Amino acid sequence: MNVGDRVRLLTGTEEGIVTRLLDSELVEVAIDNDFTIPVLRREVVIVAQEEGKNFDRAAPDYGPGQTPGKNANASKKDNSKRASAPAAPKPVQPSLQEALAAVASSGAGVAKPAGSNGPGAGTKQPAAAKGLFLALVHQSPELLGVTLINNTEADVLFTYGEETAARPYRALAADKLGPKTSTKPLSFLHMKDFEAWPAVVFQLLPTKLNGDAAYELLTKRQAFKASTFYGSQRPAPVIGKDAYLFQLDEKAAAAIAPEKLAEEAPAPAPAAPAKPAGVDAAALKAQLSGDAPAKPAAVVAAAAPAKPAGPIVAPPHELDLHLEALRPDNKEELSNTAILRLQLDAFEDALSRALATNMHEIVFIHGMGNGVLRKEIHRQLSRNKDIKFFEDARKEKFGFGATLVRLK
């Protein structure tokens, strides 16, 4: 079920047009194009266009570009009159409301310019402007259909969406529109809700098969203000009707030059031969072992004169990670997060140096506390492929406040 479908209520004889899809179970239906009601999807059924022929309903006088559909306003009284009429009666012209209702039921999928028998016959209309237009076409005195008109010689790929205060953007339609044609109504707007109308957003991409140029994407957002809206009514091209008309391509899509399409991203300049750089061996080994520190391995830039790397000093066999041991002269107040980061940095540095100097084992004294430091140390050790095993260190000496790490 889509916006614009003609439906009948299963609980009655009323018919209308689906104007909005409210959610997965609820749709909004305009009854006789005059008032709208929310209806459950399971309580309505789509009316086929062939029903008008099968049940001998009155056929409206369609305008240019319109396809035949069912006249929902035909009544049993009309049928009885038609049955008693002469064999070749003069075609009865339907009311404007009936004709518009039939248009809404069938849509205007392929509309062509007005001909001699269409609206305005006998009067010479000025040539319609070329371009892409948003047209709000009356389906009834209170109901407007949002229509896209392509009055150009090229195909147009388009998307259509709406912006409201409650929802920044809602995509509603996407399709390809041929030259000199118009879409069926993409959505419906009610005059009584003018102040709450959403802003409509179109994205337009002209294209032509075997054409010589590509074009840039046009994006147009159209909001509606009473000060300018009512003055925008004029004859619309292609469909040959009066509509509230807004041109979407005041600035035509710019053609993209072929040479620009062929341009590629500039290739990076060839890198100068790398100069020897000093590498922190401990940090590099920690990275290769799968237990790289959170910070990247330190690589000394060779732009400045590189100082000869000193020998790597092995850490003590037992490393105390308490703050008082790491910073005995510390007087500043540190947060728990800062203290934990300081302790983990000391742990990572000591482990890297222990691996680089081929130590067999090392003990980290982390204390009991709330267990956060111990848990993080064990997590990192369990991911390091150079660790043979780890366990709680001598309980008689450290209790559960230290971890013994055996290195490969």
Side-chain angles (χ1 to χ4, degrees):
M1 188 174 297
N2 299 308
V3 171
D5 286 345
R6 190 80 184 176
V7 295
R8 179 184 296 111
L9 273 63
L10 295 176
T11 56
T13 59
E14 294 85 357
E15 297 181 4
I17 303 169
V18 176
T19 56
R20 289 184 184 275
L21 304 179
L22 300 178
D23 57 34
S24 59
E25 296 295 331
L26 205 62
V27 297
E28 183 185 74
V29 178
I31 302 298
D32 292 332
N33 298 318
D34 291 325
F35 64 95
T36 60
I37 57 172
V39 184
L40 291 172
R41 288 178 186 242
R42 62 175 179 266
E43 294 182 358
V44 294
V45 62
I46 297 177
V47 179
Q49 294 183 3
E50 290 77 8
E51 188 173 331
K53 298 178 181 178
N54 296 337
F55 290 92
D56 193 26
R57 297 199 177 191
D61 184 19
Y62 297 102
Q66 301 171 8
T67 56
K70 178 175 65 61
N71 179 8
N73 294 324
S75 63
K76 294 182 180 179
K77 183 177 178 181
D78 295 332
N79 290 334
S80 61
K81 288 182 178 179
R82 191 163 54 252
S84 60
K90 183 179 179 181
V92 179
Q93 294 292 333
S95 67
L96 176 61
Q97 185 174 357
E98 290 178 341
L100 291 174
V103 174
S105 66
S106 61
V110 180
K112 296 180 181 179
S116 59
N117 60 343
T123 60
K124 189 174 182 180
Q125 295 285 350
K130 296 285 186 180
L132 303 170
F133 295 89
L134 161 64
L136 302 185
V137 185
H138 274 291
Q139 311 296 309
S140 77
E142 293 297 321
L143 187 68
L144 296 174
V146 179
T147 305
L148 175 64
I149 297 175
N150 177 16
N151 191 29
T152 70
E153 305 298 330
D155 294 324
V156 174
L157 305 176
F158 74 90
T159 65
Y160 167 73
E162 293 180 351
E163 290 182 3
T164 61
R167 190 168 180 178
Y169 182 78
R170 181 188 179 197
L172 294 176
D175 207 345
K176 177 181 177 181
L177 186 60
K180 301 293 182 179
T181 58
S182 66
T183 65
K184 66 179 183 180
L186 302 172
S187 66
F188 293 88
L189 301 174
H190 304 272
M191 295 296 291
K192 61 184 177 61
D193 301 328
F194 181 84
E195 296 299 328
W197 278 7
V200 300
V201 180
F202 281 94
Q203 289 183 301
L204 306 161
L205 182 63
T207 180
K208 197 168 186 178
L209 188 63
N210 295 324
D212 298 329
Y215 295 90
E216 294 181 352
L217 179 69
L218 291 175
T219 300
K220 175 69 174 181
R221 179 183 182 275
Q222 181 66 55
F224 303 100
K225 297 181 179 179
S227 57
T228 57
F229 175 75
Y230 293 100
S232 64
Q233 188 172 21
R234 59 186 186 275
V238 177
I239 61 176
K241 296 179 180 179
D242 282 349
Y244 299 97
L245 204 62
F246 304 88
Q247 186 159 5
L248 302 175
D249 59 343
E250 295 93 346
K251 184 179 180 181
I256 303 176
E259 56 269 17
K260 283 194 174 183
L261 289 174
E263 284 182 1
E264 298 180 356
K275 297 182 180 180
V279 178
D280 186 338
L284 180 58
K285 186 167 183 177
Q287 283 186 326
L288 296 176
S289 67
D291 188 40
K295 53 186 179 181
V299 177
V300 182
K307 296 181 181 179
I312 298 176
V313 180
H317 178 69
E318 295 178 359
L319 178 64
D320 191 348
L321 295 176
H322 288 89
L323 181 62
E324 298 79 9
L326 296 176
R327 288 191 177 182
D329 299 330
N330 180 65
K331 294 182 180 180
E332 59 179 321
E333 292 291 335
L334 297 177
S335 66
N336 291 337
T337 303
I339 294 173
L340 180 62
R341 184 69 262 168
L342 180 66
Q343 292 171 320
L344 288 176
D345 286 345
F347 158 74
E348 293 166 357
D349 175 69
L351 182 61
S352 298
R353 288 189 288 129
L355 290 169
T357 55
N358 296 317
M359 290 179 62
H360 295 291
E361 64 179 25
I362 183 172
V363 176
F364 294 100
I365 305 171
H366 44 69
M368 292 292 293
N370 54 15
V372 175
L373 178 59
R374 177 179 181 272
K375 182 178 179 181
E376 182 62 24
I377 288 175
H378 285 193
R379 187 186 70 82
Q380 292 198 27
L381 291 174
S382 65
R383 296 169 55 190
N384 195 320
K385 299 177 181 179
D386 288 331
I387 303 301
K388 191 173 183 179
F389 68 87
F390 61 93
E391 61 183 1
D392 291 330
R394 299 160 50 195
K395 297 182 179 61
E396 65 274 12
K397 182 177 181 180
F398 304 106
F400 291 95
T403 298
L404 170 65
V405 181
R406 185 63 59 86
L407 311 175
K408 290 183 180 179

